[in-house]
Amino acid sequence: MTEVVTLVLSIVSLCTSIAVFYWQRRHGDFDLARLLHADLTGGEVAKARDMLGTLVHSPGSIRDDALPEVRTAYFTLLWCF
C-alpha cells in the first residue's frame, strides 16, 4: 500500500514540476516580448524607424545633408535587432 501511495505522490510531484516549468518559461517569454516591444517602439529607435520609414515612403522629403542622420538611424535600428 505504501508503494502505491509513494508512486502516486511521485507522479503528482512530477506533473506539478512540469506544469510549473512550462508556466515559468511562458511567463519569461512574455516578459521578453514586452521588453522588446518597448525597445522597438520608444525613444531613439522610434525616431530611427520614423526617419527610415520617411526615406522609404517619401524619399524626396529627405535632404541630402540628412544622409549621415539616415545612416545613423539605419545602424541604430540594425543594432537594436
Side-chain angles (χ1 to χ4, degrees):
M1 180 70 176
T2 57
E3 288 117 13
V4 174
V5 172
T6 304
L7 177 65
V8 169
L9 287 175
S10 298
I11 291 172
V12 169
S13 297
L14 176 66
C15 292
T16 302
S17 298
I18 291 171
V20 168
F21 168 76
Y22 281 113
W23 180 84
Q24 286 178 336
R25 184 173 174 183
R26 186 174 175 161
H27 186 71
D29 290 345
F30 281 127
D31 285 342
L32 178 61
R34 227 182 338 264
L35 177 66
L36 291 174
H37 182 265
D39 284 347
L40 289 173
T41 58
E44 190 176 329
V45 177
K47 292 176 187 174
R49 283 181 33 245
D50 182 50
M51 180 172 281
L52 293 174
T54 301
L55 179 67
V56 169
H57 296 292
S58 308
S61 66
I62 301 276
R63 306 173 320 274
D64 287 341
D65 61 338
L67 291 179
E69 293 174 36
V70 170
R71 188 178 309 113
T72 300
Y74 172 75
F75 283 109
T76 298
L77 196 62
L78 187 65
W79 183 252
C80 185
F81 280 107

